[in-house]
Structure formats: structure tokens, C-alpha cells
Amino acid sequence: QVQLVESGGGSVQSGDSLTLSCAASGFVQDYYRIGWFRQAPGKEREGVCSISSPSGKAYYTDYLQGRFAIARNSAKTTVYLHMSSLTPDDTATYYCAASYGDSWDAEYTEFWSKGISVTVSS
């Protein structure tokens, strides 16, 4: 069973940077997509970014690219979400998620972390 455990959330000020980490384990094949979704209060869950394994190709929601970056360590055990120039609109619960194959849709995503809160104050 795939397990995803994130860390690094918290409260920051507008303009700050923050990095979330997701420790991933339990994959039984090397062909999967892993990344991040977020859900702001009163809004639907949205995809942030993801990375394909084994290729390492990264995908981003268009309007977040440039401020958000996804990376993983060489052992593929940890995925990072680097967030910069944060604004109050980035306040949300962030979820690490993964699915076998190469699709990236919240409705069909197989594995989820518990979620971690990020609050950006103006």
C-alpha cells in the first residue's frame, strides 16, 4: 500500500516562501504520477503540480508555474513542493497524492496524504 506523509506546512506572511515535503513509500511499480493538490476554504480541490516516474517530467497548473516548483530526491522517496511569493490566495490544505499510470485527476487519484495546512497572512 502506498503511503504518503507530508510535512512542512504552517503560517507565513505574504511574500514568503515555504517548502512542503512528502515522504512516499510502498510503490510496487515504477510507473506512476505523484504530486500535489490543494483545497482552499469553500473551494474545490485543484491540482497544483505533479511529476511522472520514472521520467521525472514535471507538470504544473498554468497560473502557478513560476512560483511553485516540484522536485524529488534521487531515491524517489521524497517529493517537494517549493512555493515562493506566497499570497493569501495560496491559503489552503495541501495534499500529496499519487496514482499508478500517468493520469492526474483528483477524481481518479488512488492515494492521498492526510493534508497539511498552509496559511498566508497579508
Side-chain angles (χ1 to χ4, degrees):
Q1 181 75 353
V2 173
Q3 292 191 323
L4 306 169
V5 180
E6 75 268 79
S7 61
S11 297
V12 297
Q13 297 293 314
S14 187
D16 284 352
S17 298
L18 189 68
T19 295
L20 305 181
S21 300
C22 175
S25 63
F27 289 102
V28 296
Q29 65 180 52
D30 200 34
Y31 184 52
Y32 59 86
R33 189 86 78 92
I34 185 169
W36 300 86
F37 288 86
R38 70 181 185 180
Q39 188 165 18
K43 295 187 178 180
E44 293 187 356
R45 192 169 297 189
E46 66 170 346
V48 175
C49 55
S50 62
I51 192 166
S52 287
S53 179
S55 69
K57 183 177 180 180
Y59 302 85
Y60 294 92
T61 294
D62 286 346
Y63 75 94
L64 294 175
Q65 189 167 10
R67 294 196 301 119
F68 287 24
I70 190 169
R72 63 178 178 178
N73 64 349
S74 57
K76 301 180 184 178
T77 57
T78 305
V79 175
Y80 304 95
L81 176 62
H82 302 293
M83 304 181 288
S84 62
S85 302
L86 288 164
T87 75
D89 288 340
D90 296 313
T91 294
T93 299
Y94 286 73
Y95 298 89
C96 182
S99 284
Y100 290 117
D102 203 29
S103 64
W104 194 245
D105 187 311
E107 183 177 355
Y108 303 107
T109 297
E110 299 173 76
F111 308 106
W112 294 89
S113 67
K114 293 182 179 180
I116 195 165
S117 178
V118 173
T119 302
V120 184
S121 302
S122 59

